[in-house]
Each structure stands twice: as C-alpha cells, then as structure tokens.
Amino acid sequence: MSQNMVNFNGRDERQRRGSDDDDDNNDAEDEEGEGEGEGEGKGDCSGGGGRGGGGHGHGGSAATERNSVPGPSGPTEYARAHARNLASTFALFVTLSIENIIFDMTNLEGVRRYGRDRWKPMDAIDLRAFVGLLILAGVYRLRGEATASLWDAESGRAMFRAAMPLKTFHLYSRLLRFDDRETRAARQVTDKLAAVREVWDAWVERLPLLYVPGPEITVDEQLVSFRGRCRFRQYLPNELAKYGIKSWVACDAKSSYAWKMQVYTRESWGRRRGGEVQPREEPGDAGCARCHGGTEGSQRHL
C-alpha cells in the first residue's frame, strides 16, 4: 500500500489537475444521472461493513498535530469543479474505472457459476443500486436486521423493494467480486490483499485528490468488524468488535475526512526483495509513522 500513498501536501500537483480519465468519468456520470436497478441478500444486512471511516479506533497510539498551514482546507478545486450533483459527487470516489472492474469481475464469476444462458450480466445501474442499498442500510442503522424484513410488503422499507428484488440482492451479495478468482492464488503469494488490491488502491488514491486537510491531522488505528475468512483478520480482545480488519487511517481532525489509509495485513511493514515479501513485525507506532510518511516540508508533522 505504501507505494500508493501521496505526501501530506495539500498542494500536491495531482490535487490541482486530477486525471483526464476521471474528468471523462464524471461527465458520463452527469449524463447517466442517478439510475435505479434491482437486487437482494440473505441473512444479515450490515450495510456498512466496508464503509470508509467506520469501525472502532484505538486511542493508545493516536496522534493529533497542530501547525500553521497556508491556504484554506476543504475540498480541492478539482473536487468543487466536478461535484455538480449527488451522482457526480459519488463518481469522484467510485469512478467508472472502479465500477468497470467490479461488474466485469462479477459477471465473469456469474458466467462461471451459471453459464452465459442463465446469467444476466450486471451493469453500472445494477451495481449502483446494490451499493446504494448497502449505504442506505448503514444510514438506517440496520445492522443485524434480516434482509427479508427490509423487503417485507407491510413492515419493510419501500426504497429496498423499489431498487431491486430480494432474490437479486442475495445473488449479488454472493457473487460480487473485485478480481479474477482463478488467478488470485498466484497473486496472494506476495500480496494478501490481492482479492481487492486493484479496487482498493484505485479508491485510496482518490482520497487526497479531493480534499486538502487542515492544520490538525489525526492518525490512528481502525478496526472494521469482520468475522469471515481472512488471512489478516485481527483479534483484539480489548475492542468491542474483537474480530476485524485493522487499518491505519489519517484523518482531518475537524471534518473526519479519511485522507490516507493503509490496511494492516501483517506483512505491510515487510520488505520486498525479488518479488518476495519478508514479513517484519513492527510496533504500532511504526504503522502510524508509515501512514503519515511524507509530511516533511509540508508543515504537517506529528
């Protein structure tokens, strides 16, 4: 992850110009508007398991800085110019290139499972509807509520029934993919985050392009509750969730904007030689330092 992190410099050149591809992406978003699709999911609808900024933080190694930083903080010029409505603002974070990876890999998995004749390809509208329902479940604080109750004609939420059938939501919940499953094993030899690496890196790279943090920045651990199968799932007995995926997050202290993130995979601090990872465990403070690396000369230091 460290190679994808930018300096803590509110005047980074990439913040001023963005990327040409994302300019085209956002123009396309405006034309498409906020489409509605259809979908579904079994059992528990937690809605925000992977939302940025969620989870439980540890206070022990957190650090907040205060310094004089020239220029205003807040959305970058690029972000203000392209955030025209809800759809275009969402597209600043989840670009068309990210969407294409997700529904391409999901469709590949669907064809493998059901065949071309039985699988109806997921498109951008289907994906946005599915993600929108997950976000809405988090807004409504529906964690732990059975998904069937959300689609119930009498006691459920009308928005869920209008977006997609429950059966489709269940299907997408089972098949959603971020990479090619058949080539994952080879990539996991050197990268434990291989299953989501391409999408994760593309998303994390967007964060500093869209916001200039103020003079106070907080770097701390974050634990996103998760009890599924994961090679780098952490057990932290002192936390409320206890099991989850840990990451280091650098946030603007005033707005809580997650400006820079790195998932802790137990080998994140290891050295790579000849394509091989040599794990090297380091104390929590080293993870904090790695997440805020590049503050030299930016007047943002811990």
Side-chain angles (χ1 to χ4, degrees):
M1 287 295 297
S2 59
Q3 66 269 26
N4 294 296
M5 294 184 177
V6 300
N7 291 343
F8 271 49
N9 188 342
R11 297 296 176 265
D12 191 291
E13 180 182 355
R14 294 195 302 170
Q15 288 177 322
R16 297 195 196 106
R17 59 180 174 82
S19 65
D20 293 338
D21 291 340
D22 292 318
D23 288 341
D24 296 337
N25 291 346
N26 286 293
D27 291 339
E29 289 293 333
D30 291 338
E31 293 174 3
E32 291 179 2
E34 301 176 39
E36 292 183 331
E38 298 177 285
E40 95 178 71
K42 228 177 209 176
D44 201 6
C45 187
S46 57
R51 295 196 312 275
H56 306 278
H58 301 270
S61 59
T64 300
E65 66 173 77
R66 181 187 296 269
N67 204 344
S68 176
V69 179
S73 62
T76 62
E77 293 181 9
Y78 173 75
R80 289 195 298 269
H82 291 82
R84 306 182 187 97
N85 51 39
L86 289 177
S88 61
T89 302
F90 182 79
L92 288 174
F93 296 92
V94 184
T95 63
L96 285 178
S97 60
I98 292 177
E99 288 185 339
N100 287 336
I101 295 171
I102 298 174
F103 62 70
D104 283 350
M105 293 300 101
T106 300
N107 287 331
L108 181 62
E109 183 69 14
V111 169
R112 286 172 178 164
R113 294 276 194 96
Y114 297 99
R116 294 188 180 279
D117 295 336
R118 295 177 56 196
W119 173 254
K120 179 184 176 182
M122 170 191 274
D123 58 23
I125 293 178
D126 296 329
L127 177 60
R128 292 167 196 167
F130 179 77
V131 173
L133 291 181
L134 294 179
I135 295 174
L136 190 62
V139 171
Y140 287 156
R141 300 182 182 277
L142 301 176
R143 182 180 178 85
E145 184 171 345
T147 51
S149 67
L150 302 177
W151 269 261
D152 187 83
E154 296 182 0
S155 60
R157 309 268 182 169
M159 180 64 73
F160 287 83
R161 295 194 303 273
M164 62 177 60
L166 179 59
K167 183 178 179 181
T168 305
F169 185 87
H170 281 161
L171 183 65
Y172 289 163
S173 297
R174 293 194 303 269
L175 295 182
L176 197 71
R177 294 290 183 274
F178 304 91
D179 75 324
D180 185 348
R181 179 171 51 86
E182 293 191 352
T183 65
R184 185 184 303 163
R187 288 179 282 112
Q188 282 182 329
V189 173
T190 58
D191 184 8
K192 290 184 178 180
L193 207 62
V196 296
R197 171 65 68 187
E198 189 174 5
V199 170
W200 171 262
D201 284 355
W203 180 72
V204 168
E205 286 177 353
R206 300 292 297 169
L207 300 180
L209 301 180
L210 305 174
Y211 195 88
V212 178
E216 295 177 314
I217 298 173
T218 298
V219 180
D220 198 4
E221 293 176 328
Q222 172 198 54
L223 184 69
V224 177
S225 177
F226 180 71
R227 287 179 173 267
R229 293 181 298 175
C230 180
R231 294 185 178 186
F232 47 89
R233 186 186 66 179
Q234 299 285 294
Y235 172 66
L236 301 176
N238 294 329
E239 288 300 313
L240 182 63
K242 291 186 172 52
Y243 291 93
I245 297 175
K246 185 174 78 171
S247 61
W248 288 97
V249 185
C251 296
D252 177 70
K254 183 177 181 180
S255 67
S256 299
Y257 180 88
W259 193 45
K260 189 175 182 182
M261 301 180 69
Q262 177 167 330
V263 175
Y264 176 63
T265 61
R266 298 183 183 178
E267 64 181 24
S268 297
W269 324 124
R271 295 165 293 176
R272 293 179 180 268
R273 291 181 178 175
E276 296 184 359
V277 175
Q278 299 180 358
R280 182 185 64 209
E281 294 293 341
E282 296 187 13
D285 288 344
C288 178
R290 184 67 62 93
C291 195
H292 75 75
T295 59
E296 298 84 355
S298 67
Q299 294 184 302
R300 294 184 181 94
H301 61 275
L302 297 177

